[in-house]
Amino acid sequence: MRIKKVFNNNVLLAEKNGREVVLIGKGIGFKKHTGDDIEQQQITKIYTPEGDNWISNFQSLMADIEPEYFEVASQIIELAEQQLQTTFNVYLLISLTDHIHFAVYRHHHQMDIHNEILWETKRIYHREFQVGMQALALIKKHFDVTLLEDEAGFIAMKFVENSMADSNTDQTLAMTKLINDILNIVKYQLSLTMPDESVSLQRFLVHLRFFAERLTLKRPDQSQGADDDFLFEHLSKQYPRAFACVQKIAVFVKKSTEQTVSVNERIYLIMHIQRMLNENQ
């Protein structure tokens, strides 16, 4: 790879296989110049643009924001990918860098923002929120700024939004509200309270996230099987409390999204809810 532009000691613009890429690594740009080669072992992270406007957006933001914000955002993304066992698209670097920079600016000017869905974020996206809290520690270390817990929630939602293909902020918020409403139906219908570390609750939340994503993005459920009606009838008799709860969920989903919950989806919901009931006994 050959350097096209040195932003600072740790951030470079380079060319790889005829394409521009952004390289981040400790000391990667120290005493380097345009045209120099970069050795692979110096690179911590490579960001390859997925669209024609990514590099221009990156360079525009780089002109307004100190490169250290990109470095911190990259560290947070790497941490999140490791702990959440996922890979985010390159646009997260731009959106997260911009968010962190503005959050620090707002804090310096006594303009901290209250996170209206902080409680829901902690409840539904527990793992992402924990990474968000670690992100605040990194921000404190690099910029000597102690941001409010609300910002950990905002950062967590960046991870959630980026992991949803073809989504936007409004859709992510709609998905979050839908999940929270379903959790409340389960809680009040069954008088069920589960600790955050509950294995069955965490499995249920994972399932709800995919379920809510399909509904929010209006993706069809193509997993219906020939034997589903028989199994559904069997589970309705074997687990009447879980069945009644799922029927209420289906009515709520139909009313709020105008979409029908398939028999196959109801079967999965019954089984998840029954596991929580068993664990709660």
Side-chain angles (χ1 to χ4, degrees):
M1 280 181 281
R2 196 174 298 275
I3 296 174
K4 294 193 69 174
K5 186 173 183 178
V6 178
F7 293 112
N8 73 345
N9 284 343
N10 303 323
V11 185
L12 301 175
L13 180 67
E15 186 175 286
K16 179 182 181 183
N17 300 326
R19 298 184 63 186
E20 290 183 324
V21 295
V22 170
L23 309 179
I24 294 181
K26 189 172 180 61
I28 194 173
F30 182 64
K31 293 186 178 180
K32 293 290 187 179
H33 304 89
T34 300
D36 289 349
D37 289 326
I38 289 293
E39 296 180 5
Q40 189 69 35
Q41 60 265 29
Q42 294 180 284
I43 303 169
T44 302
K45 188 77 174 179
I46 300 176
Y47 291 93
T48 304
E50 295 178 349
D52 295 337
N53 63 339
W54 189 89
I55 288 290
S56 61
N57 287 343
F58 175 86
Q59 295 200 70
S60 176
L61 199 61
M62 181 67 80
D64 296 328
I65 294 177
E66 297 88 337
E68 189 175 8
Y69 283 96
F70 288 87
E71 297 166 38
V72 172
S74 182
Q75 289 178 40
I76 292 170
I77 291 170
E78 187 173 4
L79 180 70
E81 288 183 336
Q82 290 172 355
Q83 297 198 14
L84 302 176
Q85 298 180 324
T86 189
T87 301
F88 299 111
N89 70 51
V90 294
Y91 286 97
L92 182 57
L93 177 65
I94 292 175
S95 65
L96 185 58
T97 300
D98 190 39
H99 179 85
I100 292 170
H101 177 262
F102 192 41
V104 172
Y105 172 87
R106 285 190 282 100
H107 186 78
H108 281 315
H109 292 80
Q110 291 78 52
M111 297 165 55
D112 291 309
I113 297 176
H114 176 62
N115 191 333
E116 298 291 344
I117 61 166
L118 180 61
W119 185 83
E120 289 87 347
T121 303
K122 286 182 179 182
R123 181 190 195 189
I124 299 169
Y125 310 114
H126 181 71
R127 293 171 63 228
E128 286 86 351
F129 179 76
Q130 292 305 313
V131 179
M133 290 298 292
Q134 294 176 61
L136 296 194
L138 280 172
I139 293 168
K140 167 70 174 176
K141 176 182 177 182
H142 285 271
F143 304 113
D144 194 26
V145 170
T146 302
L147 297 178
L148 300 180
E149 188 182 54
D150 299 66
E151 286 297 337
F154 288 132
I155 291 172
M157 292 304 291
K158 288 284 183 185
F159 301 145
V160 175
E161 181 180 333
N162 187 271
S163 66
M164 289 175 60
D166 305 319
S167 71
N168 56 42
T169 301
D170 288 342
Q171 289 170 327
T172 306
L173 291 174
M175 185 181 82
T176 302
K177 183 180 185 305
L178 180 62
I179 294 172
N180 193 56
D181 288 340
I182 291 173
L183 286 173
N184 284 335
I185 290 172
V186 174
K187 177 181 178 180
Y188 294 114
Q189 171 76 11
L190 302 174
S191 300
L192 189 62
T193 302
M194 305 292 291
D196 290 337
E197 62 273 14
S198 161
V199 173
S200 58
L201 174 60
Q202 291 305 317
R203 288 175 177 170
F204 185 48
L205 284 172
V206 169
H207 181 81
L208 282 184
R209 287 174 64 170
F210 286 108
F211 174 51
E213 184 176 339
R214 285 199 303 272
L215 290 172
T216 303
L217 300 181
K218 293 181 168 51
R219 293 174 179 164
D221 182 358
Q222 299 176 336
S223 57
Q224 193 83 5
D227 297 328
D228 286 349
D229 289 337
F230 173 80
L231 180 57
F232 182 63
E233 182 70 21
H234 172 72
L235 292 176
S236 70
K237 296 175 181 177
Q238 186 172 4
Y239 306 121
R241 292 182 66 202
F243 170 78
C245 184
V246 169
Q247 293 298 84
K248 283 187 175 294
I249 291 171
V251 170
F252 166 77
V253 168
K254 180 67 174 179
K255 182 177 180 181
S256 59
T257 71
E258 298 183 347
Q259 296 184 70
T260 301
V261 181
S262 69
V263 170
N264 177 72
E265 183 58 56
R266 295 188 200 203
I267 288 171
Y268 278 109
L269 290 172
I270 290 171
M271 294 171 68
H272 277 294
I273 291 171
Q274 187 60 42
R275 286 195 191 101
M276 290 192 293
L277 283 169
N278 292 342
E279 186 177 326
N280 202 241
Q281 288 178 349

